[in-house]
Amino acid sequence: MAAVEELSEPGELTAEEREAVQHQLFRLADDEFVVAERYTEWQVKAPTLESDLAFSNIAQDELGHARLWYDLLQDWGAEESELIWERDPSEWRHSTLVELPFDEGDWADPVLRSYLYDVAEDIQLRALQDSSYPRIRDRVGKILGEEDYHREHAANWLERLCEEDESRERVQAALDRLFPYALTLFAPTDEEVEDRIDDLGIRTEPLVTMREEWLDEVVPYLESLGLSIDDAELPEQYDVHHNQFDLPDAVGRDQSHTDDWYDLQEDFTHSYRELGRTSAERIMKDPDDE
Amino acid sequence: MIWEVFRQEKSGDYHKHCGNVHAPDREMALLFAEVQHGRRKPTNSLWVTPQKEIGEVDTEDTAFGGTTDKSYRWAMTYNFEAAASEVEESESEQATADRERKAQIEGGS
């Protein structure tokens, strides 16, 4: 990291630095929060009690990670309620992979989705281990500590689901549907701001490189399970060096979302509004004091 | 398939039975046990074993420890003269175990 200068404390950043850090944090926080929100829909609906607990536990982990990232966004004065419960849904920056709804009983989808997501998350977190922004750097290790289980869980399930034709076909159907959305995990929030994130060393790998790494891991693995990405609605120019992937209409990162996201947001903020809340109660210590 | 789960709280402790999980194989059983039995209580290690591989013998099958006088098995039976401190310590442990065993037999009958 020698060439890059360490960034200052939150309050001392320039407007441009602050914007870059915030974009990076919203990428992370919104992904974790929304993926957990969707995972939670499987509670009491997963195939067995054991898989239910394991998946709910993963959802809890991801919510915990979202909490760590939203907490850093509060360094500039925003309250948790403003970042989550009161934020306009059109301002969220999560990838559209995590907001898509599940078909009832289609267990192959969450299994595959969590695999695609968790491999990407691992790559993205590793690119933050040497971040020039100390507040991000300091929290990465704690999160990575919980990620091995997530990937192992997803891979173990995938391997078993792909052992038989019928269940493999369901995984394949999920793959055809989800793969283009998974590519949005590496889409820019804004080209110029993402370049700044790289230039400032907030992240040590550009999005394109991370996407390439992700494809190098995910594609051969899925193929080894007898799956094929040929039928996935892939961009025409399947070239990892190409910046402009032909992504789905809704990318998420740039604040374009599917209608399903607006329904989901309406849903999870329902109680907050119904109860006339104006703030969110905190029951846990500030992560800085943990 | 049911897997019995044994939890060890800290290194060096015995693994104690803590419940079970349903899983198709050992790898999944460990994955599930980790969350189901290791997420809230202090855990250093977990074992899983197929329930059908566990053998059992119980009080219906046998009288544990026999039915005749076997007091020769207990150190305090040999209490003829003052014992060395190590022996006394061991004796007191055995006396406690003996009391517990008797209490159990009385409680059970």
Side-chain angles (χ1 to χ4, degrees):
Chain A
M1 213 187 57
V4 179
E5 216 175 301
E6 176 127 327
L7 289 177
S8 325
E9 290 292 302
E12 289 155 21
L13 297 180
T14 65
E16 290 208 322
E17 290 169 341
R18 183 166 117 175
E19 185 187 33
V21 172
Q22 286 177 337
H23 272 232
Q24 179 60 59
L25 285 170
F26 275 120
R27 294 181 71 96
L28 296 161
D30 290 351
D31 268 2
E32 296 282 49
F33 185 88
V34 178
V35 87
E37 197 58 40
R38 279 293 184 211
Y39 287 172
T40 305
E41 293 173 7
W42 284 94
Q43 203 155 18
V44 306
K45 289 181 182 167
T48 64
L49 175 65
E50 282 77 3
S51 46
D52 197 305
L53 280 167
F55 205 55
S56 303
N57 190 60
I58 290 172
Q60 285 182 336
D61 286 348
E62 305 294 31
L63 275 180
H65 303 168
R67 172 177 163 264
L68 292 179
W69 299 132
Y70 284 125
D71 178 69
L72 292 188
L73 282 159
Q74 291 170 56
D75 286 348
W76 296 282
E79 300 280 328
E80 191 173 283
S81 50
E82 296 169 300
L83 294 169
I84 303 174
W85 314 112
E86 294 172 19
R87 181 153 54 120
D88 194 305
S90 67
E91 289 177 11
W92 288 59
R93 294 202 177 273
H94 55 272
S95 141
T96 38
L97 175 74
V98 299
E99 75 190 32
L100 298 178
F102 297 112
D103 278 339
E104 194 166 336
D106 185 12
W107 182 240
D109 181 319
V111 165
L112 179 74
R113 195 185 300 199
S114 63
Y115 171 73
L116 298 173
Y117 177 76
D118 286 323
V119 173
E121 195 191 350
D122 188 55
I123 292 168
Q124 304 198 54
L125 288 172
R126 285 177 201 286
L128 294 171
Q129 279 180 308
D130 291 323
S131 171
S132 59
Y133 189 63
R135 304 266 293 150
I136 289 182
R137 201 170 61 214
D138 293 347
R139 295 187 177 194
V140 173
K142 199 178 255 186
I143 295 176
L144 275 172
E146 292 183 335
E147 289 301 324
D148 286 350
Y149 186 93
H150 299 183
R151 286 197 312 287
E152 197 183 336
H153 178 267
N156 282 354
W157 265 109
L158 268 185
E159 282 159 24
R160 284 158 184 80
L161 291 179
C162 288
E163 274 168 9
E164 284 171 28
D165 291 345
E166 195 191 333
S167 48
R168 192 189 323 104
E169 278 161 24
R170 296 182 71 160
V171 178
Q172 182 66 56
L175 181 58
D176 296 346
R177 189 171 64 246
L178 296 177
F179 203 82
Y181 288 96
L183 290 168
T184 71
L185 285 164
F186 303 99
T189 57
D190 173 285
E191 294 278 2
E192 193 270 320
V193 177
E194 296 287 355
D195 286 345
R196 213 185 309 150
I197 291 175
D198 295 329
D199 294 343
L200 290 169
I202 296 166
R203 180 174 67 206
T204 56
E205 300 268 7
L207 296 172
V208 183
T209 315
M210 291 195 287
R211 185 178 59 205
E212 191 171 0
E213 245 180 86
W214 178 81
L215 285 166
D216 283 347
E217 177 168 348
V218 160
V219 174
Y221 176 74
L222 294 175
E223 286 175 347
S224 78
L225 299 177
L227 299 163
S228 154
I229 57 156
D230 295 344
D231 294 330
E233 289 169 36
L234 272 181
E236 268 180 32
Q237 66 286 52
Y238 180 51
D239 171 7
V240 292
H241 297 289
H242 199 283
N243 258 322
Q244 296 301 323
F245 261 83
D246 190 10
L247 295 169
D249 288 341
V251 172
R253 296 287 187 222
D254 60 357
Q255 302 177 322
S256 58
H257 291 281
T258 63
D259 291 343
D260 296 308
W261 158 242
Y262 290 91
D263 294 343
L264 179 65
Q265 195 270 353
E266 175 83 14
D267 234 36
F268 74 69
T269 55
H270 178 83
S271 301
Y272 184 88
R273 282 179 281 108
E274 190 85 338
L275 297 171
R277 292 275 156 83
T278 53
S279 66
E281 204 69 46
R282 287 190 96 153
I283 58 169
M284 297 197 290
K285 278 191 283 189
D286 188 295
D288 284 330
D289 303 328
E290 275 170 13
Chain B
M1 162 170 191
I2 299 177
W3 296 73
E4 295 299 333
V5 183
F6 299 81
R7 188 179 67 248
Q8 182 196 50
E9 288 203 356
K10 53 182 197 297
S11 175
D13 281 0
Y14 288 118
H15 283 73
K16 290 181 190 155
H17 185 238
C18 60
N20 56 37
V21 291
H22 288 70
D25 53 49
R26 179 175 287 112
E27 194 175 33
M28 293 303 279
L30 286 168
L31 198 72
F32 290 148
E34 193 177 323
V35 165
Q36 206 156 319
H37 297 287
R39 80 185 189 285
R40 287 191 182 144
K41 295 187 176 161
T43 306
N44 182 63
S45 154
L46 289 176
W47 286 347
V48 295
T49 186
Q51 188 180 62
K52 66 176 170 48
E53 295 299 330
I54 292 182
E56 182 183 12
V57 54
D58 65 13
T59 46
E60 277 185 22
D61 306 318
T62 186
F64 290 104
T67 48
T68 59
D69 184 0
K70 298 212 169 24
S71 55
Y72 54 82
R73 284 178 180 156
W74 305 91
M76 52 278 191
T77 312
Y78 301 88
N79 210 356
F80 303 114
E81 53 194 70
S85 63
E86 298 92 325
V87 175
E88 259 177 26
E89 219 170 276
S90 161
E91 254 188 57
S92 107
E93 268 174 36
Q94 294 200 5
T96 307
D98 185 48
R99 268 198 308 279
E100 286 172 357
R101 183 174 150 272
K102 281 177 177 150
Q104 194 188 3
I105 290 167
E106 278 161 22
S109 61

